[in-house]
Amino acid sequence: MDVREKRLASGTPEPFASETLPASADNVTQRVGNAGSARKPYVLKYWQIYTMVLPGVLYFILFKYVPLTGIVIAFQDYNVFNGITGSPFVGFKHFVNLFTYPEFLRVLKNTLLISVYQIVFGFPAPIVLALLMNEVRRMLFKRTVQTVLYLPHFLSWVIVGGLVINFLSPSSGMVNDVLRWMGKEPVFFMQEPGYFRSIVVISGIWKEVGWGTIIYLAALAGINPELYEAAEVDGAGRMRQTFSITLPSLLPTIMVLLLLRIGHILDLGFEQVYMLLNPLVTSTGEIIDTYIYRIGLLGGQYSYTTAIGLFKSLVGVILVVGANQLSKKTTGNSIY
Amino acid sequence: MNKRWMTTAMAVTVAAGSLAGCASDNGKGASPGSAGGGSDSKPVKLKIGIGTEGLQYIEGSPNINEDKYTKKLRELSKTDFTLDLIPHREFDQKLTLLFAGGELPDLLQTHGINKPEVAPAVDTGAIIPLNDLIDKYGPNLKKNISKEAWEFASVSKNGKIYGIPNVNATPNGNVMMVRKDWLDKLGMKAPKTIDEYIDMLRAFRDKDPNGNGKNDEIPYSGREKLAFTEAFFGAYDAIPVDWKFENGELVPNMIRPQMKTALATYRKLYEEKLLDNEVFVQVAKDWDAKIKAKGIVGLWTHAPRLADKWSAEVKTGTPTGVVDIIPAPTGPDGKGGFSIGSTVGGNIWVIPKTTKNPENAIKFLDWFYSDEAQKFLTYGIEGEDYTVENGKINYKYPVKQEDIYREEMHLTWLRMVGPLHLTDTEFMKNRPSGDLVLKAMDIASKEGRKNDGLGMPSLPTLQARPELGRDGLWLETAAKIVTGKEPVDSFDKFVLDWKKRGGDQVIKEATEWYKSTHK
């Protein structure tokens, strides 16, 4: 598993990745290392490497660790005019407020359900697509398909949300035109709580599946061709090769991405749901992020929303650590 | 940058591409014709935070500070101002962020000093009181803005003025607009009561008034969150966001029994497809397109001051389309109409503590009352928007959609304070559909429902539990009842739930406010 691939996958560089440096990096250190000065401290000896890692470390300190101090406002009655230093401490008031909010369970349930659907259906989609693309032998066709599939990723949810709503609209939407043509009554997709989660998951897959294949295709390209040649000699067909060689080779990549994804189980991406939400589907569609937006930003309750955010992060950390241990025990793959 | 400036009768000459450079230190309007004549002092600088109002021209502008009208206003007001746009959709949020960030403009637009995002700024002194400044530097403001407006809750607090209001054309901001050509075609008169309205809507639905042979008409349409569809709530005197003082308590209309009756009516409208069935998911542009470009909507609700704009824009989609303004449906008590607001407009200008020379901002706003400012704001730029023949102004009234959008820029948007163009009878008389606006204003002034909660600051419990507001539990319940997902009787359950969750406390707080202000 290459560090760079991991970074691509998670969208952020990982500070712990240095432990799993691939063999190629070791070669580099040997080359740049000054063999004559073995007495020097490690840091000075390999200063080039450390210099290279510096920007990443600085980024994390500046943009991830320094803002953590802001968590303190979750325990205050924060007011923007008094600032962090001038706001009174109130202990766990905001957490109590969150857990006693009558709709909290509903919001949590929606968040978890949509997230689980996304993992069950959305997570394997790019893997399957990558495997299919891997079998395509015509390069021109493959390139074209790839490009077309990447495109939706570059559109914002504001645009895609509008497309989805128009596409499913009962008066002008293509789906309902087909239904009408078949002699059926138009369906108000966006107003039916029963359809909402499916719409969110499907539109999410449509938008991101192409982009998700990149990392898998990169991993596929790294599989040793000799393995396939040997399998062919042993009389394995294409299916057999896929299941015995391709998938096992992809497994480390898949596991790492899955673990990272599990950490985000409570963040579904606010934009997507917010764009599609309306009062008729809040019962199945309101998630923690949209709730934060409605209550916190529109109501200006920063302390309360920070408390919710903290709760989300805690759940995320617990899940990641748990899943990581489990994965370590069962598959031997882990992110640290 | 090389815009063609036509030399005009004005004594001001502007070098192409230069910013307004006629300097004189006082922001007060010189009388037209006496240009500053380039003294050495620099024009005062001013940073203005202003909302986009969702206007297409503003939001579509590549750089509003380079716009020809902005430049002209700079030149005329002799103030070197820059505009920082605040997006219309996230206005309240962005304002909060501005206050939190501390990087405030010198002059800031708000929607009232009693709004939850602005009120703490007043309390902590982040916004300065303006009484002395207005006395000293704003004679025209003082003279032209009424005492009631200065005392209104969104402008002043505890006798101190914190904001400079713009004026509302009519306190009642909404009227019913109908396709008169449809009514004529069906040989119908304008309806009055709820039942007559429903008959009209049924005819719109069934009798193909647009004559295209298709059953595609939408009798009454509105926008998401039931916005601009409140005609029948008004008929039952139950405008959702308003309040009524009854039996010694100030109660929100949301939970009054009249609301249940109103919701039952909406349910019927929705079921019979008289109310646009997409009303809960429809954003502004779709609603716009249905009325204007497609021309398939028979009845809608909007601001009386924009009646001429609607009339012109409907014609862009249907050249034969005629818009008329009719009285809103009347309910059991024989009255109807929308919420009557205050004469104070929605935009209140405040000056943050961080402003170095607040008097410049006051002088700048005061200048808007000068004839020179009024002439520019109403008629635009000479040679482009109007010509002068024998001393008479010959204004090119816009016809095309893009020109209508462009006109809004100087007619309403740049008019930060001061009298509205609607009060300029000469301008309105010659305006296509100008009489329609006057009719709309007249109807708006004769109908409407009183809101006993007018000017109420945001209540603590409502801030802590926003779900008790109109767009929370009420909207969810209303949506389910109207679309037939739940029986009308589920309204009773909602009322109990609302009270239990803190609604009783909300009523208590509201009543205390009412009794302390209405002695």
Side-chain angles (χ1 to χ4, degrees), chain B residues 341-368:
Chain B
S342 118
T343 50
V344 173
N347 292 332
I348 312 294
W349 296 93
V350 302
I351 299 179
K353 191 175 63 183
T354 46
T355 304
K356 283 206 178 61
N357 296 318
E359 67 277 8
N360 290 339
I362 301 281
K363 286 177 188 169
F364 174 69
L365 289 179
D366 193 67
W367 168 83
F368 276 83

Side-chain angles (χ1 to χ4, degrees), chain A residues 19-32:
Chain A
E19 292 178 25
T20 51
L21 271 178
S24 61
D26 288 345
N27 298 341
V28 176
T29 54
Q30 275 163 18
R31 252 184 285 119
V32 296

Side-chain angles (χ1 to χ4, degrees), chain A residues 80-82 97 101-103 106 169-171 188 190-193 274 278-280 282 293-295 297 301-302, chain B residues 89 93 96 99-100 120-121 124 126 270 277-278 280-281 463-467 472-473 475-476 479 483 485 501:
Chain A
V80 288
F81 299 96
N82 301 340
N97 201 359
Y101 172 66
E103 254 90 62
R106 184 178 89 173
S169 144
S171 63
F188 285 80
M190 293 312 299
Q191 304 190 12
E192 289 294 333
Y274 176 71
N278 65 65
L280 283 162
T282 40
Y293 173 78
R294 214 163 50 108
I295 305 291
L297 290 176
Q301 302 190 56
Y302 298 111
Chain B
R89 276 191 68 164
Q93 231 183 302
T96 314
F99 282 126
T124 53
Y270 187 92
N277 275 204
E278 294 183 36
F280 289 100
V281 290
Q463 264 186 292
R465 298 223 170 270
E467 69 266 22
L473 289 174
L475 187 61
E476 214 176 308
T483 53
K485 287 194 171 44
R501 283 188 177 202

Side-chain angles (χ1 to χ4, degrees), chain B residues 62-78:
Chain B
N63 180 357
I64 203 74
N65 284 307
E66 289 296 316
D67 186 89
K68 60 181 179 188
Y69 293 108
T70 313
K71 285 179 169 171
K72 189 77 184 166
L73 188 68
R74 258 192 215 114
E75 174 206 331
L76 292 172
S77 64
K78 302 181 183 58

Side-chain angles (χ1 to χ4, degrees), chain B residues 8 67 104 159 216 441 456 509:
Chain B
T8 68
D67 186 89
L104 288 159
D216 60 351
M441 310 271 278
M456 183 159 61
E509 288 166 10

Side-chain angles (χ1 to χ4, degrees), chain A residues 13-297:
Chain A
E14 306 147 36
F16 305 112
S18 54
E19 292 178 25
T20 51
L21 271 178
S24 61
D26 288 345
N27 298 341
V28 176
T29 54
Q30 275 163 18
R31 252 184 285 119
V32 296
N34 188 344
S37 55
R39 299 249 173 267
K40 268 193 195 167
Y42 197 78
V43 177
L44 289 177
K45 191 172 166 188
Y46 299 116
W47 63 269
Q48 296 95 329
I49 302 281
Y50 280 91
T51 322
M52 281 164 81
V53 97
L54 199 63
V57 171
L58 276 179
Y59 165 86
F60 270 90
I61 289 172
L62 273 178
F63 294 104
K64 301 282 169 190
Y65 282 86
V66 173
L68 283 181
T69 50
I71 285 177
V72 85
I73 71 170
F75 304 96
Q76 296 179 323
D77 262 344
Y78 176 72
N79 167 325
V80 288
F81 299 96
N82 301 340
I84 291 179
T85 46
S87 301
F89 274 88
V90 292
F92 285 91
K93 179 179 129 181
H94 298 293
F95 293 90
V96 172
N97 201 359
L98 172 66
F99 298 133
T100 54
Y101 172 66
E103 254 90 62
F104 173 66
L105 274 180
R106 184 178 89 173
V107 172
L108 189 66
K109 187 184 120 193
N110 289 339
T111 313
L112 284 172
L113 267 179
I114 294 178
S115 207
V116 166
Y117 288 157
Q118 281 183 344
I119 290 177
V120 171
F121 299 103
F123 184 76
I127 302 173
V128 173
L129 191 62
L131 289 176
L132 292 171
M133 298 237 275
N134 198 38
E135 299 299 325
V136 175
R137 285 287 159 262
R138 287 170 186 270
M139 281 325 270
L140 184 71
F141 175 72
K142 189 173 164 182
R143 292 264 160 76
T144 319
V145 168
Q146 269 186 332
T147 311
V148 171
L149 287 171
Y150 291 166
L151 274 181
H153 169 81
F154 296 101
L155 302 175
S156 73
W157 269 115
V158 178
I159 296 171
V160 177
L163 283 175
V164 169
I165 290 170
N166 281 334
F167 192 69
L168 298 173
S169 144
S171 63
S172 56
M174 202 192 302
V175 179
N176 277 302
D177 285 346
V178 172
L179 284 177
R180 254 194 296 270
W181 180 75
M182 286 158 62
K184 291 197 171 72
E185 277 291 298
V187 180
F188 285 80
F189 290 101
M190 293 312 299
Q191 304 190 12
E192 289 294 333
Y195 289 124
F196 187 79
R197 292 183 191 134
S198 315
I199 293 171
V200 169
V201 173
I202 292 168
S203 61
I205 291 176
W206 179 82
K207 184 169 179 299
E208 295 299 338
V209 72
W211 190 248
T213 57
I214 293 180
I215 185 158
Y216 295 113
L217 287 170
L220 285 169
I223 299 173
N224 189 347
E226 284 179 18
L227 292 172
Y228 290 109
E229 286 161 22
E232 243 170 274
V233 171
D234 291 343
R238 294 218 59 84
M239 261 339 234
R240 186 77 232 169
Q241 287 178 21
T242 302
F243 282 101
S244 297
I245 299 167
T246 316
L247 271 178
S249 311
L250 275 185
L251 199 62
T253 315
I254 293 175
M255 280 320 290
V256 167
L257 289 181
L258 186 62
L259 290 175
L260 292 172
R261 176 70 191 76
I262 282 171
H264 289 281
I265 202 153
L266 294 185
D267 327 306
L268 308 180
F270 157 81
E271 273 196 328
Q272 178 187 5
V273 177
Y274 176 71
M275 282 309 305
L276 299 172
L277 208 57
N278 65 65
L280 283 162
V281 291
T282 40
S283 56
T284 57
E286 177 143 61
I287 57 170
I288 293 181
D289 290 333
T290 51
Y291 173 66
I292 287 183
Y293 173 78
R294 214 163 50 108
I295 305 291
L297 290 176

Side-chain angles (χ1 to χ4, degrees), chain B residues 234-237 239 242 333 335-340 448-451:
Chain B
Y236 290 106
D237 197 8
I239 302 269
D242 288 357
D333 61 353
K335 290 199 263 263
F338 299 86
S339 178
I340 297 178
R449 293 293 191 178
K450 187 163 166 279
N451 171 18

